[in-house]
């Protein structure tokens, strides 16, 4: 079976859980985020960089704790304050790691935090959107935008792709596919 089709089929339970909402949505988003963070860190490892996964997963778990507390038990009240507190703790913790770590690689901590920010923080918005009230269109908008981007990037890269985007990280990705994905997400929204 085609790996891309298999990957798309794995997302079907996520879509179902997002539609169901509640704790099912939370658990599905956390599972997908952990897998995505693993792939993100593996991409850096493949090009010779070593992100600190303990910083990434640690601050992601702290963030999910905040999302559960603020999103599920206070109805979203205090979310802006919680985001600022989390960002402060995450950046301060990463800087302290860089200062006091015995490692000579100063980028380990920030790369770990990047995974928590880029994947964990933004993926958690599927959980937070549900807590804002009238969410029927917003949840589907997120799913359409990401699916449209992925599908259009694949086909634009397949039919028009000539210029490699970043061959060490992902050899089959092309600039044309990237542009196709951007156009596809905009059109489907």
């Amino acid at each position: 079976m085609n790996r891309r089709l298999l990957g798309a089929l794995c997302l079907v339970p996520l879509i179902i859980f997002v539609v169901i909402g509640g704790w099912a949505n939370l658990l599905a988003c956390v599972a997908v985020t952990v897998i995505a963070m693993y792939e993100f860190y593996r991409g850096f490892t493949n090009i010779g960089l070593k992100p600190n996964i303990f910083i990434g997963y640690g601050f992601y778990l702290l963030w999910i704790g905040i999302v559960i507390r603020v999103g599920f038990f206070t109805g979203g009240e205090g979310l802006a304050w919680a985001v600022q507190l989390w960002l402060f703790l995450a950046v301060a913790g990463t800087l302290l790691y860089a200062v006091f770590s015995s490692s000579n690689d100063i980028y380990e901590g920030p790369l770990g935090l990047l995974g928590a920010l880029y994947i964990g923080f933004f993926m958690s918005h599927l959980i937070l959107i549900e807590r804002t009230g009238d969410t029927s269109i917003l949840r589907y908008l997120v799913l359409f935008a990401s699916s449209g981007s992925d599908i259009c990037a694949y086909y634009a890269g397949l039919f028009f792709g000539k210029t490699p985007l970043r061959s060490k990280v992902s050899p089959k990705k092309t600039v044309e596919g990237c542009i196709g994905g951007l156009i596809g997400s905009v059109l489907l929204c």
Side-chain angles (χ1 to χ4, degrees), residues 137 140-149 182-189:
I137 191 76
Y140 299 114
L141 186 65
V142 170
L143 294 174
F144 282 139
S146 60
S147 299
S149 173
L182 178 66
I183 292 170
S185 67
V186 169
L187 290 177
L188 282 174
C189 287

Tab-separated table of all heavy atoms in Angstrom, residues 137 140-149 182-189:
chain	number	residue	atom	x	y	z
A	137	ILE	N	-17.681	25.489	12.488
A	137	ILE	CA	-16.954	25.829	11.261
A	137	ILE	C	-15.447	25.880	11.491
A	137	ILE	O	-14.661	25.506	10.619
A	137	ILE	CB	-17.480	27.155	10.651
A	137	ILE	CG1	-16.923	27.373	9.247
A	137	ILE	CG2	-17.132	28.331	11.520
A	137	ILE	CD1	-17.571	26.529	8.210
A	140	TYR	N	-13.612	22.418	11.310
A	140	TYR	CA	-13.527	21.909	9.942
A	140	TYR	C	-12.593	22.754	9.090
A	140	TYR	O	-11.934	22.237	8.191
A	140	TYR	CB	-14.920	21.815	9.326
A	140	TYR	CG	-15.798	20.865	10.096
A	140	TYR	CD1	-16.899	21.305	10.790
A	140	TYR	CD2	-15.475	19.508	10.154
A	140	TYR	CE1	-17.686	20.430	11.510
A	140	TYR	CE2	-16.255	18.627	10.886
A	140	TYR	CZ	-17.361	19.096	11.558
A	140	TYR	OH	-18.117	18.219	12.272
A	141	LEU	N	-12.525	24.033	9.367
A	141	LEU	CA	-11.615	24.914	8.641
A	141	LEU	C	-10.169	24.470	8.842
A	141	LEU	O	-9.386	24.412	7.893
A	141	LEU	CB	-11.804	26.361	9.102
A	141	LEU	CG	-11.024	27.421	8.349
A	141	LEU	CD1	-11.503	27.497	6.910
A	141	LEU	CD2	-11.184	28.763	9.030
A	142	VAL	N	-9.807	24.128	10.073
A	142	VAL	CA	-8.460	23.646	10.357
A	142	VAL	C	-8.193	22.347	9.593
A	142	VAL	O	-7.132	22.171	8.980
A	142	VAL	CB	-8.264	23.439	11.874
A	142	VAL	CG1	-6.968	22.711	12.164
A	142	VAL	CG2	-8.309	24.772	12.602
A	143	LEU	N	-9.144	21.434	9.609
A	143	LEU	CA	-8.959	20.150	8.915
A	143	LEU	C	-8.879	20.333	7.401
A	143	LEU	O	-8.046	19.716	6.735
A	143	LEU	CB	-10.085	19.187	9.276
A	143	LEU	CG	-10.109	18.740	10.737
A	143	LEU	CD1	-11.352	17.913	11.018
A	143	LEU	CD2	-8.860	17.972	11.088
A	144	PHE	N	-9.729	21.198	6.846
A	144	PHE	CA	-9.687	21.450	5.397
A	144	PHE	C	-8.387	22.117	4.983
A	144	PHE	O	-7.809	21.791	3.955
A	144	PHE	CB	-10.876	22.299	4.940
A	144	PHE	CG	-12.158	21.547	4.813
A	144	PHE	CD1	-13.349	22.102	5.243
A	144	PHE	CD2	-12.185	20.271	4.271
A	144	PHE	CE1	-14.539	21.407	5.135
A	144	PHE	CE2	-13.369	19.573	4.159
A	144	PHE	CZ	-14.556	20.136	4.590
A	145	ALA	N	-7.925	23.080	5.777
A	145	ALA	CA	-6.685	23.784	5.434
A	145	ALA	C	-5.493	22.835	5.438
A	145	ALA	O	-4.685	22.834	4.510
A	145	ALA	CB	-6.443	24.940	6.398
A	146	SER	N	-5.383	22.006	6.462
A	146	SER	CA	-4.227	21.103	6.529
A	146	SER	C	-4.329	19.993	5.490
A	146	SER	O	-3.335	19.643	4.849
A	146	SER	CB	-4.087	20.527	7.935
A	146	SER	OG	-5.241	19.805	8.287
A	147	SER	N	-5.516	19.445	5.280
A	147	SER	CA	-5.676	18.402	4.264
A	147	SER	C	-5.460	18.969	2.867
A	147	SER	O	-4.805	18.344	2.035
A	147	SER	CB	-7.080	17.794	4.342
A	147	SER	OG	-7.289	17.215	5.587
A	148	GLY	N	-6.021	20.148	2.613
A	148	GLY	CA	-5.855	20.774	1.305
A	148	GLY	C	-4.402	21.083	1.009
A	148	GLY	O	-3.915	20.880	-0.106
A	149	SER	N	-3.693	21.536	2.014
A	149	SER	CA	-2.273	21.820	1.839
A	149	SER	C	-1.498	20.553	1.502
A	149	SER	O	-0.694	20.535	0.572
A	149	SER	CB	-1.727	22.455	3.118
A	149	SER	OG	-0.336	22.594	3.035
A	182	LEU	N	0.461	25.687	-0.427
A	182	LEU	CA	-0.031	26.990	0.049
A	182	LEU	C	-1.297	27.399	-0.711
A	182	LEU	O	-2.297	27.791	-0.112
A	182	LEU	CB	1.062	28.045	-0.109
A	182	LEU	CG	0.697	29.453	0.304
A	182	LEU	CD1	0.449	29.512	1.800
A	182	LEU	CD2	1.808	30.411	-0.072
A	183	ILE	N	-1.252	27.256	-2.019
A	183	ILE	CA	-2.427	27.619	-2.840
A	183	ILE	C	-3.598	26.716	-2.507
A	183	ILE	O	-4.735	27.173	-2.383
A	183	ILE	CB	-2.054	27.550	-4.345
A	183	ILE	CG1	-1.060	28.654	-4.685
A	183	ILE	CG2	-3.299	27.655	-5.209
A	183	ILE	CD1	-0.454	28.538	-6.066
A	184	GLY	N	-3.340	25.415	-2.325
A	184	GLY	CA	-4.415	24.478	-2.011
A	184	GLY	C	-5.096	24.780	-0.689
A	184	GLY	O	-6.323	24.723	-0.591
A	185	SER	N	-4.320	25.122	0.333
A	185	SER	CA	-4.942	25.419	1.622
A	185	SER	C	-5.786	26.689	1.561
A	185	SER	O	-6.844	26.768	2.160
A	185	SER	CB	-3.885	25.527	2.726
A	185	SER	OG	-3.067	26.643	2.517
A	186	VAL	N	-5.314	27.671	0.790
A	186	VAL	CA	-6.083	28.910	0.650
A	186	VAL	C	-7.373	28.653	-0.122
A	186	VAL	O	-8.452	29.120	0.254
A	186	VAL	CB	-5.231	29.997	-0.045
A	186	VAL	CG1	-6.082	31.185	-0.430
A	186	VAL	CG2	-4.087	30.433	0.868
A	187	LEU	N	-7.299	27.860	-1.201
A	187	LEU	CA	-8.490	27.596	-2.001
A	187	LEU	C	-9.538	26.777	-1.256
A	187	LEU	O	-10.744	27.032	-1.410
A	187	LEU	CB	-8.115	26.883	-3.298
A	187	LEU	CG	-7.362	27.712	-4.332
A	187	LEU	CD1	-6.987	26.872	-5.537
A	187	LEU	CD2	-8.198	28.918	-4.763
A	188	LEU	N	-9.111	25.813	-0.479
A	188	LEU	CA	-10.080	24.989	0.244
A	188	LEU	C	-10.691	25.684	1.455
A	188	LEU	O	-11.670	25.208	1.997
A	188	LEU	CB	-9.437	23.671	0.665
A	188	LEU	CG	-9.320	22.671	-0.474
A	188	LEU	CD1	-8.538	21.444	-0.045
A	188	LEU	CD2	-10.689	22.259	-0.982
A	189	CYS	N	-10.081	26.779	1.866
A	189	CYS	CA	-10.672	27.510	2.999
A	189	CYS	C	-11.630	28.545	2.473
A	189	CYS	O	-12.462	29.054	3.060
A	189	CYS	CB	-9.587	28.182	3.824
A	189	CYS	SG	-8.667	26.981	4.766
